[in-house]
Amino acid sequence: MKKIVSIAAFIFFAQALWAQAPEISRDAYGTKIIKGFMSRQDLANDTAFTWFAKNMEGYTPEQNAVTAFKANKDSVNIIAFGGTWCGDTKNLLPKFYSLMDASGFPQDRITLLGVDRSKKTIQHLTEAFGITNVPTFIIMKNGREIGRVVEYGKYGMFDKELGEILTKNK
């Protein structure tokens, strides 16, 4: 338990304290890979990531999830792990941000970490959080994990499942 609280505190303060630049590389296919802390703006403003804006189009977040995030926007934080090379991340991460926009969820409560094709990132955070697949969305409350959705979730509706985590952990 102390380990999780320490890791969570590290993540949320690391950006401000060190402002550590992510590692940027290209794989054998020419795909741009961001490893480390990144932001929505990094994805939205980079021409290498045209998939970001494209995959936000036409998506309507599940209404119960929007309501749940609105009700909890000041009490939870989200840690999201994704790969700029990963098809599931390319599909779901823009939709995740659409959900956040629809609910008015504060951007400063979201920590986004890029992973390489080996699913590794800086400071061994993927190992510390047990990340095996991406994207993974982790909801934190009071320094502890209250739930996570890996890829599309248990029944293929990641947004609904995220909302249910918040609803059952009031």
Side-chain angles (χ1 to χ4, degrees), residues 31-169:
T31 303
K32 189 173 187 176
I33 297 176
I34 298 178
K35 181 178 172 183
F37 293 108
M38 59 181 174
S39 70
R40 174 186 187 160
Q41 292 73 27
D42 292 333
L43 300 174
N45 297 332
D46 191 323
T47 57
F49 307 126
T50 56
W51 52 264
F52 189 80
K54 181 181 176 192
N55 289 337
M56 286 183 93
E57 294 173 7
Y59 169 72
T60 303
E62 199 266 337
Q63 191 55 50
N64 290 333
V66 171
T67 301
F69 274 98
K70 276 184 183 178
N72 290 280
K73 67 183 179 182
D74 296 322
S75 63
V76 299
N77 293 295
I78 300 168
I79 304 169
F81 290 84
T84 56
W85 49 268
C86 171
D88 290 338
T89 297
K90 290 178 182 182
N91 185 33
L92 293 175
L93 192 60
K95 291 170 176 56
F96 165 78
Y97 276 107
S98 291
L99 170 60
M100 297 299 98
D101 292 348
S103 64
F105 195 86
Q107 296 294 307
D108 64 351
R109 290 185 163 271
I110 301 169
T111 301
L112 180 58
L113 287 151
V115 303
D116 62 18
R117 286 188 179 269
S118 300
K119 299 184 187 86
K120 303 292 183 206
T121 194
I122 61 165
Q123 304 295 324
H124 306 286
L125 292 173
T126 51
E127 295 88 347
F129 279 95
I131 303 302
T132 57
N133 295 351
V134 291
T136 295
F137 304 98
I138 302 171
I139 300 176
M140 305 286 291
K141 187 171 188 174
N142 298 323
R144 68 175 188 85
E145 179 178 343
I146 61 169
R148 70 174 59 195
V149 175
V150 178
E151 295 176 331
Y152 291 87
K154 295 175 187 162
Y155 41 84
M157 297 178 69
F158 84 100
D159 52 355
K160 181 178 179 183
E161 194 170 328
L162 284 169
E164 289 173 354
I165 291 168
L166 290 173
T167 302
K168 78 174 186 180
N169 285 290

